[in-house]
Amino acid sequence: MGRLTTHVLDTANGRPAAGLAIDLYRIEGERRTFLNSTVTNSDGRSDTPMLEGSDFVSGTYELVFYAGDYFKKAGAKTGDPSFLDHVPVRFGISDADQHYHVPLLVSPYAYSTYRGS
């Protein structure tokens, strides 16, 4: 069975983004349903998959990374308001038998993501 994992790297400081909050939603039309939340561990990862088992089905999902809070706690100069605050990444799961890994590379002023392995 498939699963969804994530990993966050703080590219401004060259380290895992430990302590960054993440929420997961399922998107169905205009409806956004909250599924799960986590805070990254010392390696910038969630301790368990964000989604797995019978809950892991094809569809559209959104991870929301709370980058603004993370960088404020880290003492970064982010501006007021922060240039990046909540970073939403919307993506599709087409095959519920595969592993989907959605990493985020983030700094106070830029981010990128991709489908990892």
Coordinates of all heavy atoms in Angstrom, one line a residue, residues 10-109:
D10 N 15.8 23.6 5.4 CA 16.0 25.0 5.6 C 17.2 25.4 4.7 O 18.3 25.2 5.2 CB 16.2 25.3 7.1 CG 16.5 26.8 7.4 OD1 16.9 27.5 6.5 OD2 16.5 27.1 8.6
T11 N 16.9 25.9 3.5 CA 18.1 26.2 2.6 C 18.8 27.5 3.0 O 19.9 27.7 2.6 CB 17.6 26.3 1.1 OG1 16.6 27.3 1.0 CG2 17.0 24.9 0.7
A12 N 18.2 28.3 3.8 CA 18.9 29.5 4.2 C 20.0 29.2 5.2 O 21.0 29.9 5.2 CB 17.9 30.5 4.9
N13 N 19.8 28.2 6.0 CA 20.8 27.8 7.0 C 21.5 26.5 6.7 O 22.3 26.0 7.5 CB 20.1 27.8 8.4 CG 19.6 29.1 8.8 OD1 20.4 30.1 9.0 ND2 18.3 29.3 8.9
G14 N 21.1 25.8 5.6 CA 21.8 24.5 5.3 C 21.5 23.4 6.3 O 22.5 22.7 6.6
R15 N 20.3 23.3 6.7 CA 20.0 22.2 7.7 C 18.5 21.8 7.6 O 17.7 22.5 7.0 CB 20.2 22.7 9.1 CG 19.4 23.9 9.5 CD 19.7 24.4 10.9 NE 18.8 25.5 11.2 CZ 19.2 26.6 11.9 NH1 20.4 26.7 12.3 NH2 18.4 27.5 12.2
P16 N 18.2 20.6 8.2 CA 16.8 20.2 8.2 C 16.0 21.3 9.0 O 16.4 21.9 9.9 CB 16.8 18.9 9.0 CG 18.2 18.4 8.9 CD 19.1 19.6 8.8
A17 N 14.7 21.5 8.6 CA 13.8 22.4 9.3 C 13.1 21.7 10.4 O 12.0 21.2 10.2 CB 12.8 23.0 8.3
A18 N 13.8 21.6 11.5 CA 13.2 20.9 12.7 C 12.2 21.8 13.4 O 12.4 23.0 13.5 CB 14.3 20.6 13.7
G19 N 11.0 21.3 13.8 CA 10.0 22.1 14.5 C 9.1 22.8 13.6 O 8.4 23.7 14.1
L20 N 9.0 22.5 12.3 CA 8.1 23.2 11.4 C 6.8 22.5 11.3 O 6.7 21.3 11.1 CB 8.7 23.3 10.0 CG 8.0 24.2 9.0 CD1 9.1 24.8 8.1 CD2 7.1 23.4 8.1
A21 N 5.7 23.2 11.6 CA 4.3 22.6 11.6 C 3.8 22.4 10.1 O 4.1 23.3 9.2 CB 3.4 23.5 12.3
I22 N 3.1 21.3 9.9 CA 2.5 21.0 8.6 C 1.1 20.5 8.8 O 0.9 19.7 9.7 CB 3.3 19.9 7.9 CG1 4.8 20.3 7.8 CG2 2.8 19.6 6.5 CD1 5.7 19.1 7.4
D23 N 0.2 20.9 7.9 CA -1.2 20.4 7.9 C -1.4 19.8 6.6 O -0.9 20.2 5.5 CB -2.2 21.5 8.1 CG -2.3 22.1 9.5 OD1 -1.8 21.4 10.4 OD2 -2.8 23.2 9.7
L24 N -2.3 18.7 6.6 CA -2.6 18.0 5.3 C -4.2 18.1 5.1 O -4.9 17.9 6.1 CB -2.2 16.6 5.4 CG -2.7 15.7 4.3 CD1 -2.1 16.1 2.9 CD2 -2.4 14.2 4.6
Y25 N -4.6 18.4 3.9 CA -6.0 18.5 3.5 C -6.2 17.7 2.3 O -5.4 17.6 1.4 CB -6.3 20.0 3.2 CG -6.2 20.9 4.4 CD1 -5.0 21.5 4.7 CD2 -7.3 21.2 5.2 CE1 -4.8 22.4 5.7 CE2 -7.1 22.1 6.3 CZ -5.9 22.7 6.5 OH -5.8 23.5 7.6
R26 N -7.5 17.2 2.2 CA -8.0 16.6 1.0 C -8.8 17.6 0.3 O -9.6 18.3 0.9 CB -8.8 15.3 1.2 CG -9.3 14.7 -0.1 CD -9.9 13.3 0.2 NE -10.5 12.8 -0.9 CZ -9.9 12.1 -1.9 NH1 -8.6 11.9 -1.9 NH2 -10.6 11.7 -3.0
I27 N -8.7 17.8 -1.0 CA -9.4 18.8 -1.8 C -10.4 18.1 -2.7 O -10.0 17.2 -3.5 CB -8.4 19.6 -2.7 CG1 -7.3 20.2 -1.9 CG2 -9.2 20.7 -3.4 CD1 -7.7 21.1 -0.8
E28 N -11.7 18.4 -2.6 CA -12.7 17.8 -3.4 C -13.6 19.0 -3.9 O -14.4 19.5 -3.1 CB -13.6 16.8 -2.6 CG -12.7 15.6 -2.1 CD -13.5 14.7 -1.2 OE1 -13.7 15.1 0.0 OE2 -13.9 13.6 -1.7
G29 N -13.4 19.4 -5.1 CA -14.1 20.6 -5.7 C -13.7 21.8 -4.9 O -12.5 22.1 -4.8
E30 N -14.6 22.5 -4.3 CA -14.4 23.7 -3.5 C -14.2 23.3 -2.0 O -13.9 24.2 -1.2 CB -15.5 24.7 -3.6 CG -15.7 25.2 -5.0 CD -14.4 26.0 -5.4 OE1 -13.9 26.8 -4.6 OE2 -14.0 25.8 -6.6
R31 N -14.4 22.0 -1.6 CA -14.3 21.6 -0.3 C -12.8 21.2 0.1 O -12.2 20.5 -0.6 CB -15.2 20.5 0.0 CG -15.3 20.1 1.5 CD -16.4 19.1 1.8 NE -16.2 18.0 0.8 CZ -17.0 16.9 0.9 NH1 -17.9 16.8 1.9 NH2 -16.8 15.9 0.1
R32 N -12.4 21.7 1.2 CA -11.1 21.4 1.8 C -11.2 20.8 3.1 O -11.7 21.4 4.1 CB -10.3 22.8 1.9 CG -8.9 22.7 2.2 CD -8.4 24.1 2.1 NE -7.0 24.2 2.5 CZ -6.5 24.9 3.5 NH1 -7.3 25.6 4.3 NH2 -5.2 25.0 3.7
T33 N -10.9 19.5 3.2 CA -11.1 18.7 4.5 C -9.8 18.5 5.2 O -8.9 17.9 4.6 CB -11.8 17.4 4.2 OG1 -13.0 17.6 3.4 CG2 -12.1 16.6 5.4
F34 N -9.7 18.9 6.4 CA -8.5 18.7 7.2 C -8.3 17.2 7.5 O -9.3 16.5 7.9 CB -8.5 19.4 8.5 CG -7.4 19.1 9.5 CD1 -6.2 19.7 9.3 CD2 -7.6 18.2 10.5 CE1 -5.1 19.4 10.2 CE2 -6.5 17.9 11.4 CZ -5.3 18.5 11.2
L35 N -7.1 16.6 7.3 CA -6.8 15.2 7.6 C -5.9 15.0 8.7 O -6.0 14.0 9.5 CB -6.3 14.5 6.3 CG -7.2 14.5 5.1 CD1 -6.5 13.9 3.9 CD2 -8.5 13.8 5.4
N36 N -4.8 15.8 8.8 CA -3.7 15.4 9.7 C -2.8 16.6 9.9 O -2.8 17.5 9.0 CB -2.9 14.3 9.0 CG -2.0 13.6 10.0 OD1 -1.9 13.9 11.2 ND2 -1.2 12.7 9.4
S37 N -2.1 16.6 11.0 CA -1.0 17.6 11.2 C 0.1 17.0 11.9 O 0.0 15.9 12.5 CB -1.6 18.8 12.0 OG -1.9 18.4 13.3
T38 N 1.3 17.6 11.7 CA 2.5 17.1 12.3 C 3.5 18.3 12.5 O 3.2 19.4 12.0 CB 3.2 16.0 11.5 OG1 4.2 15.4 12.2 CG2 3.8 16.6 10.2
V39 N 4.5 18.0 13.2 CA 5.6 18.9 13.4 C 6.9 18.2 13.1 O 7.1 17.0 13.5 CB 5.7 19.5 14.8 CG1 7.0 20.4 15.0 CG2 4.5 20.3 15.2
T40 N 7.8 18.7 12.2 CA 8.9 18.0 11.8 C 9.9 17.7 12.9 O 10.0 18.5 13.9 CB 9.7 18.7 10.7 OG1 10.0 20.1 11.2 CG2 8.8 18.9 9.4
N41 N 10.6 16.6 12.8 CA 11.5 16.1 13.8 C 12.9 16.8 13.5 O 13.0 17.6 12.7 CB 11.6 14.6 13.9 CG 12.1 14.0 12.6 OD1 12.7 14.6 11.8 ND2 11.7 12.7 12.4
S42 N 13.9 16.4 14.2 CA 15.3 17.0 14.1 C 15.9 16.7 12.7 O 16.8 17.5 12.3 CB 16.2 16.4 15.2 OG 16.4 15.0 15.0
D43 N 15.3 15.8 12.0 CA 15.8 15.6 10.6 C 14.9 16.3 9.6 O 15.1 16.1 8.4 CB 15.8 14.0 10.3 CG 16.6 13.7 9.1 OD1 17.6 14.4 8.8 OD2 16.2 12.7 8.4
G44 N 14.0 17.1 10.0 CA 13.1 17.8 9.1 C 12.0 16.9 8.5 O 11.3 17.3 7.6
R45 N 11.7 15.8 9.1 CA 10.7 14.8 8.6 C 9.6 14.6 9.6 O 9.8 14.9 10.8 CB 11.4 13.4 8.3 CG 12.5 13.5 7.3 CD 13.2 12.1 7.2 NE 14.3 12.2 6.3 CZ 14.3 12.1 5.0 NH1 13.1 11.8 4.4 NH2 15.4 12.1 4.3
S46 N 8.5 14.1 9.1 CA 7.4 13.7 10.1 C 7.8 12.3 10.6 O 8.4 11.5 9.9 CB 6.1 13.7 9.4 OG 6.1 12.8 8.3
D47 N 7.5 12.1 11.8 CA 7.8 10.8 12.4 C 7.1 9.6 11.8 O 7.6 8.5 11.8 CB 7.6 10.8 14.0 CG 8.6 11.6 14.7 OD1 9.8 11.7 14.2 OD2 8.3 12.3 15.7
T48 N 5.9 9.9 11.3 CA 5.1 8.9 10.7 C 4.6 9.4 9.3 O 4.6 10.6 9.1 CB 3.9 8.4 11.5 OG1 3.1 9.6 11.8 CG2 4.3 7.9 12.9
P49 N 4.1 8.6 8.4 CA 3.6 9.1 7.2 C 2.4 10.0 7.4 O 1.7 9.9 8.4 CB 3.1 7.8 6.4 CG 4.0 6.8 6.9 CD 4.2 7.1 8.4
M50 N 2.3 11.0 6.6 CA 1.2 12.0 6.7 C -0.2 11.3 6.3 O -1.2 11.7 6.8 CB 1.4 13.2 5.8 CG 2.6 14.1 6.2 SD 2.4 14.9 7.7 CE 1.0 16.0 7.4
L51 N -0.1 10.3 5.5 CA -1.3 9.6 5.1 C -0.8 8.2 4.6 O 0.2 8.0 4.0 CB -1.9 10.3 3.9 CG -3.3 10.0 3.5 CD1 -4.3 10.2 4.6 CD2 -3.7 10.7 2.2
E52 N -1.6 7.2 5.0 CA -1.3 5.8 4.6 C -2.5 4.9 4.9 O -3.5 5.3 5.4 CB -0.1 5.2 5.4 CG -0.3 5.1 6.9 CD 0.9 4.6 7.7 OE1 1.8 4.0 7.1 OE2 1.0 4.9 8.8
G53 N -2.4 3.6 4.5 CA -3.4 2.6 4.7 C -4.7 2.9 3.9 O -4.6 3.4 2.8
S54 N -5.8 2.6 4.5 CA -7.1 2.8 3.8 C -7.4 4.2 3.5 O -8.3 4.5 2.7 CB -8.2 2.1 4.6 OG -8.3 2.7 5.8
D55 N -6.8 5.2 4.3 CA -7.1 6.6 4.0 C -6.3 7.1 2.8 O -6.6 8.2 2.3 CB -6.6 7.4 5.3 CG -7.5 7.1 6.5 OD1 -8.7 6.8 6.3 OD2 -7.0 7.2 7.6
F56 N -5.3 6.4 2.3 CA -4.5 6.8 1.2 C -5.2 6.4 -0.1 O -5.1 5.3 -0.5 CB -3.1 6.1 1.3 CG -2.1 6.7 0.3 CD1 -1.5 7.9 0.6 CD2 -1.8 6.0 -0.8 CE1 -0.6 8.5 -0.3 CE2 -0.9 6.5 -1.7 CZ -0.3 7.8 -1.5
V57 N -5.9 7.3 -0.7 CA -6.6 7.1 -1.9 C -6.3 8.1 -2.9 O -5.8 9.2 -2.6 CB -8.2 7.1 -1.6 CG1 -8.6 6.0 -0.7 CG2 -8.6 8.4 -1.1
S58 N -6.6 7.8 -4.2 CA -6.4 8.8 -5.3 C -7.2 10.1 -5.0 O -8.3 10.0 -4.4 CB -6.8 8.2 -6.6 OG -6.0 7.1 -6.9
G59 N -6.6 11.2 -5.4 CA -7.3 12.4 -5.3 C -6.3 13.6 -5.2 O -5.1 13.5 -5.5
T60 N -6.9 14.8 -4.9 CA -6.1 16.0 -4.8 C -5.9 16.3 -3.3 O -6.9 16.3 -2.5 CB -6.8 17.1 -5.5 OG1 -7.0 16.8 -6.9 CG2 -6.0 18.4 -5.4
Y61 N -4.7 16.7 -3.0 CA -4.3 17.0 -1.6 C -3.6 18.3 -1.5 O -3.0 18.7 -2.5 CB -3.5 15.8 -1.0 CG -4.2 14.5 -0.9 CD1 -4.3 13.7 -2.0 CD2 -4.9 14.2 0.3 CE1 -5.0 12.5 -1.9 CE2 -5.6 13.0 0.4 CZ -5.7 12.2 -0.7 OH -6.4 11.0 -0.6
E62 N -3.5 18.8 -0.3 CA -2.7 20.0 -0.1 C -1.9 19.9 1.2 O -2.6 19.6 2.3 CB -3.6 21.2 -0.1 CG -2.8 22.5 0.1 CD -3.8 23.7 0.0 OE1 -4.4 24.1 1.0 OE2 -3.9 24.3 -1.1
L63 N -0.6 20.1 1.2 CA 0.2 20.2 2.4 C 0.4 21.7 2.6 O 0.7 22.5 1.7 CB 1.5 19.6 2.2 CG 1.6 18.0 2.3 CD1 2.9 17.5 1.7 CD2 1.3 17.5 3.7
V64 N 0.2 22.2 3.9 CA 0.4 23.6 4.2 C 1.6 23.6 5.2 O 1.5 23.0 6.3 CB -0.8 24.3 4.8 CG1 -0.5 25.7 5.2 CG2 -2.0 24.2 3.8
F65 N 2.7 24.2 4.8 CA 3.9 24.3 5.6 C 3.9 25.7 6.3 O 3.8 26.7 5.6 CB 5.1 24.1 4.7 CG 5.2 22.8 4.0 CD1 4.6 22.6 2.8 CD2 5.9 21.7 4.6 CE1 4.7 21.4 2.1 CE2 6.0 20.5 4.0 CZ 5.4 20.3 2.7
Y66 N 4.0 25.7 7.6 CA 4.0 27.0 8.3 C 5.4 27.6 8.4 O 6.0 27.6 9.5 CB 3.4 26.8 9.7 CG 1.9 26.5 9.5 CD1 1.4 25.2 9.3 CD2 1.0 27.5 9.5 CE1 0.1 24.9 9.1 CE2 -0.4 27.2 9.2 CZ -0.8 25.9 9.1 OH -2.1 25.7 8.8
A67 N 5.9 28.0 7.3 CA 7.3 28.5 7.2 C 7.5 29.8 7.9 O 8.6 30.0 8.5 CB 7.7 28.7 5.7
G68 N 6.6 30.7 7.9 CA 6.7 32.0 8.6 C 7.0 31.8 10.1 O 7.9 32.4 10.6
D69 N 6.2 30.9 10.7 CA 6.4 30.7 12.2 C 7.7 30.0 12.4 O 8.4 30.4 13.4 CB 5.3 29.7 12.7 CG 3.9 30.4 12.7 OD1 3.8 31.6 12.7 OD2 2.9 29.6 12.8
Y70 N 8.1 29.1 11.6 CA 9.4 28.4 11.7 C 10.6 29.4 11.7 O 11.4 29.4 12.5 CB 9.6 27.4 10.6 CG 11.0 26.9 10.5 CD1 11.5 25.9 11.4 CD2 11.9 27.4 9.6 CE1 12.8 25.5 11.3 CE2 13.2 27.0 9.5 CZ 13.7 26.0 10.4 OH 15.0 25.6 10.3
F71 N 10.6 30.3 10.7 CA 11.7 31.3 10.5 C 11.7 32.3 11.6 O 12.7 32.8 12.1 CB 11.7 31.9 9.1 CG 12.3 30.9 8.1 CD1 11.5 30.4 7.1 CD2 13.6 30.5 8.1 CE1 12.0 29.5 6.2 CE2 14.1 29.7 7.2 CZ 13.3 29.1 6.2
K72 N 10.5 32.7 12.1 CA 10.4 33.7 13.2 C 11.1 33.1 14.4 O 11.8 33.7 15.1 CB 9.0 34.1 13.4 CG 8.5 35.1 12.4 CD 7.0 35.5 12.7 CE 6.5 36.3 11.6 NZ 5.0 36.5 11.6
K73 N 10.7 31.8 14.7 CA 11.3 31.1 15.9 C 12.8 31.0 15.8 O 13.5 31.0 16.7 CB 10.6 29.8 16.1 CG 9.2 29.8 16.6 CD 8.7 28.4 16.7 CE 7.2 28.4 16.9 NZ 6.6 27.1 16.7
A74 N 13.3 30.8 14.5 CA 14.7 30.7 14.3 C 15.4 32.0 14.3 O 16.7 32.0 14.2 CB 14.9 30.0 12.9
G75 N 14.7 33.1 14.4 CA 15.3 34.4 14.5 C 15.7 35.1 13.2 O 16.4 36.0 13.1
A76 N 15.1 34.5 12.1 CA 15.4 35.1 10.8 C 14.6 36.4 10.6 O 13.5 36.6 11.1 CB 14.9 34.1 9.7
K77 N 15.2 37.3 9.8 CA 14.5 38.5 9.5 C 13.6 38.2 8.3 O 14.1 38.0 7.2 CB 15.5 39.6 9.1 CG 16.3 40.0 10.3 CD 17.3 41.1 10.0 CE 18.2 41.3 11.2 NZ 18.2 42.5 11.9
T78 N 12.3 38.2 8.5 CA 11.3 37.8 7.5 C 10.5 38.9 7.0 O 9.7 38.7 6.1 CB 10.4 36.7 8.1 OG1 9.7 37.2 9.2 CG2 11.2 35.5 8.5
G79 N 10.6 40.1 7.6 CA 9.7 41.2 7.3 C 8.4 41.1 8.1 O 8.2 40.1 8.8
D80 N 7.6 42.2 8.1 CA 6.4 42.2 8.8 C 5.3 42.8 7.9 O 5.3 44.0 7.7 CB 6.5 43.0 10.1 CG 5.3 42.9 11.0 OD1 4.5 41.9 10.8 OD2 5.1 43.8 11.8
P81 N 4.4 42.0 7.3 CA 4.3 40.5 7.5 C 5.4 39.8 6.8 O 6.1 40.3 5.9 CB 3.0 40.2 6.9 CG 2.8 41.2 5.9 CD 3.4 42.5 6.4
S82 N 5.6 38.5 7.2 CA 6.6 37.7 6.5 C 6.3 37.6 5.0 O 5.2 37.5 4.6 CB 6.6 36.3 7.1 OG 6.9 36.3 8.4
F83 N 7.4 37.6 4.2 CA 7.2 37.4 2.8 C 6.5 36.0 2.5 O 5.6 35.9 1.8 CB 8.5 37.5 2.0 CG 8.4 37.3 0.5 CD1 7.8 38.3 -0.2 CD2 8.8 36.1 -0.1 CE1 7.7 38.1 -1.6 CE2 8.7 35.9 -1.4 CZ 8.1 36.9 -2.2
L84 N 7.1 35.0 3.1 CA 6.5 33.6 3.0 C 5.9 33.3 4.4 O 6.7 33.3 5.4 CB 7.5 32.6 2.6 CG 7.9 32.6 1.2 CD1 9.0 31.5 0.9 CD2 6.8 32.5 0.2
D85 N 4.7 33.0 4.5 CA 4.1 32.6 5.8 C 3.6 31.1 5.7 O 4.4 30.2 6.0 CB 3.0 33.5 6.1 CG 2.5 33.3 7.6 OD1 3.2 32.7 8.4 OD2 1.4 33.9 7.9
H86 N 2.4 30.9 5.2 CA 1.9 29.6 4.9 C 2.3 29.2 3.5 O 1.9 30.0 2.6 CB 0.4 29.5 5.1 CG 0.0 29.9 6.5 ND1 -1.3 30.4 6.7 CD2 0.6 29.9 7.7 CE1 -1.4 30.6 8.0 NE2 -0.2 30.4 8.6
V87 N 3.0 28.1 3.3 CA 3.3 27.7 2.0 C 2.5 26.4 1.6 O 2.7 25.4 2.1 CB 4.8 27.3 1.9 CG1 5.2 26.7 0.5 CG2 5.7 28.5 2.2
P88 N 1.5 26.6 0.7 CA 0.6 25.5 0.3 C 1.2 24.8 -0.9 O 1.7 25.5 -1.8 CB -0.7 26.2 0.0 CG -0.3 27.6 -0.5 CD 0.9 27.9 0.2
V89 N 1.2 23.5 -0.8 CA 1.6 22.7 -2.0 C 0.5 21.7 -2.3 O 0.2 20.8 -1.5 CB 2.9 21.9 -1.7 CG1 3.3 21.0 -2.9 CG2 4.0 22.9 -1.3
R90 N -0.2 22.0 -3.4 CA -1.3 21.2 -3.9 C -0.8 20.2 -4.9 O -0.1 20.6 -5.8 CB -2.4 22.1 -4.4 CG -3.7 21.3 -4.6 CD -4.9 22.2 -4.9 NE -5.3 22.9 -3.7 CZ -6.4 23.6 -3.6 NH1 -7.2 23.7 -4.6 NH2 -6.7 24.2 -2.4
F91 N -1.2 18.9 -4.8 CA -0.7 17.9 -5.6 C -1.7 16.8 -5.8 O -2.7 16.7 -5.0 CB 0.6 17.3 -5.1 CG 0.5 16.8 -3.7 CD1 0.3 15.4 -3.5 CD2 0.5 17.6 -2.6 CE1 0.1 14.9 -2.2 CE2 0.4 17.1 -1.3 CZ 0.2 15.8 -1.1
G92 N -1.5 15.9 -6.7 CA -2.5 14.8 -7.0 C -1.8 13.5 -6.7 O -0.6 13.3 -7.0
I93 N -2.6 12.6 -6.2 CA -2.2 11.2 -6.0 C -3.0 10.4 -7.0 O -4.3 10.3 -6.9 CB -2.4 10.7 -4.6 CG1 -1.5 11.4 -3.6 CG2 -2.3 9.2 -4.5 CD1 -1.7 11.2 -2.2
S94 N -2.4 9.8 -8.0 CA -3.1 9.1 -9.0 C -3.0 7.5 -8.8 O -3.9 6.8 -9.3 CB -2.6 9.4 -10.4 OG -1.2 9.1 -10.5
D95 N -2.0 7.1 -8.0 CA -1.9 5.6 -7.8 C -1.7 5.4 -6.3 O -0.6 5.6 -5.8 CB -0.7 5.1 -8.6 CG -0.5 3.6 -8.5 OD1 -1.2 3.0 -7.7 OD2 0.3 3.1 -9.3
A96 N -2.7 4.9 -5.7 CA -2.7 4.7 -4.2 C -1.8 3.5 -3.8 O -1.7 3.3 -2.6 CB -4.1 4.5 -3.7
D97 N -1.2 2.9 -4.7 CA -0.2 1.8 -4.4 C 1.2 2.3 -4.3 O 2.1 1.5 -4.0 CB -0.3 0.6 -5.4 CG -1.6 -0.1 -5.3 OD1 -2.1 -0.2 -4.1 OD2 -2.2 -0.6 -6.3
Q98 N 1.5 3.6 -4.7 CA 2.8 4.1 -4.7 C 3.1 4.9 -3.5 O 2.2 5.4 -2.8 CB 3.0 4.9 -6.0 CG 3.0 4.1 -7.2 CD 3.4 5.0 -8.4 OE1 4.0 6.0 -8.2 NE2 3.1 4.5 -9.6
H99 N 4.4 5.2 -3.3 CA 4.9 6.1 -2.2 C 5.0 7.5 -2.8 O 5.7 7.6 -3.8 CB 6.2 5.6 -1.7 CG 6.9 6.5 -0.7 ND1 8.2 6.4 -0.4 CD2 6.4 7.5 0.1 CE1 8.5 7.3 0.5 NE2 7.4 8.0 0.8
Y100 N 4.3 8.4 -2.3 CA 4.5 9.8 -2.7 C 5.2 10.6 -1.6 O 4.8 10.6 -0.4 CB 3.1 10.5 -2.9 CG 2.4 10.0 -4.1 CD1 1.8 8.7 -4.3 CD2 2.3 10.9 -5.2 CE1 1.2 8.3 -5.4 CE2 1.7 10.5 -6.4 CZ 1.1 9.2 -6.5 OH 0.5 8.8 -7.6
H101 N 6.3 11.2 -2.0 CA 7.2 11.9 -1.1 C 7.2 13.4 -1.6 O 7.6 13.6 -2.8 CB 8.6 11.3 -1.0 CG 9.5 12.0 -0.1 ND1 9.3 12.0 1.3 CD2 10.6 12.8 -0.2 CE1 10.2 12.7 1.9 NE2 11.0 13.2 1.0
V102 N 6.8 14.3 -0.8 CA 6.7 15.7 -1.2 C 7.6 16.6 -0.3 O 7.2 17.0 0.8 CB 5.3 16.3 -1.1 CG1 5.2 17.7 -1.6 CG2 4.3 15.4 -1.9
P103 N 8.9 16.7 -0.7 CA 9.8 17.5 0.0 C 9.6 19.0 -0.2 O 9.2 19.4 -1.3 CB 11.2 17.1 -0.4 CG 11.0 16.1 -1.6 CD 9.5 16.1 -1.8
L104 N 10.0 19.8 0.7 CA 10.0 21.3 0.6 C 11.4 21.8 0.9 O 11.9 21.5 2.0 CB 9.0 21.9 1.5 CG 8.8 23.4 1.4 CD1 8.1 23.8 0.1 CD2 8.1 24.0 2.6
L105 N 12.0 22.6 0.0 CA 13.2 23.3 0.2 C 12.8 24.8 0.5 O 12.1 25.4 -0.4 CB 14.1 23.2 -0.9 CG 14.4 21.8 -1.4 CD1 15.2 21.8 -2.7 CD2 15.1 21.0 -0.4
V106 N 13.1 25.4 1.6 CA 12.5 26.7 1.9 C 13.5 27.6 2.6 O 14.4 27.2 3.3 CB 11.2 26.5 2.8 CG1 11.6 25.9 4.2 CG2 10.4 27.7 2.9
S107 N 13.4 28.9 2.3 CA 14.1 30.0 3.0 C 13.0 31.0 3.3 O 11.9 30.9 2.8 CB 15.2 30.5 2.1 OG 14.7 31.4 1.1
P108 N 13.4 32.1 3.9 CA 12.4 33.2 4.2 C 11.8 33.8 2.9 O 10.8 34.4 3.0 CB 13.2 34.2 5.0 CG 14.2 33.4 5.7 CD 14.6 32.4 4.7
Y109 N 12.5 33.7 1.8 CA 12.1 34.4 0.6 C 11.9 33.5 -0.6 O 11.6 34.0 -1.7 CB 13.1 35.5 0.3 CG 13.1 36.5 1.4 CD1 14.1 36.5 2.4 CD2 12.1 37.5 1.5 CE1 14.1 37.4 3.4 CE2 12.1 38.4 2.5 CZ 13.1 38.4 3.5 OH 13.0 39.3 4.5

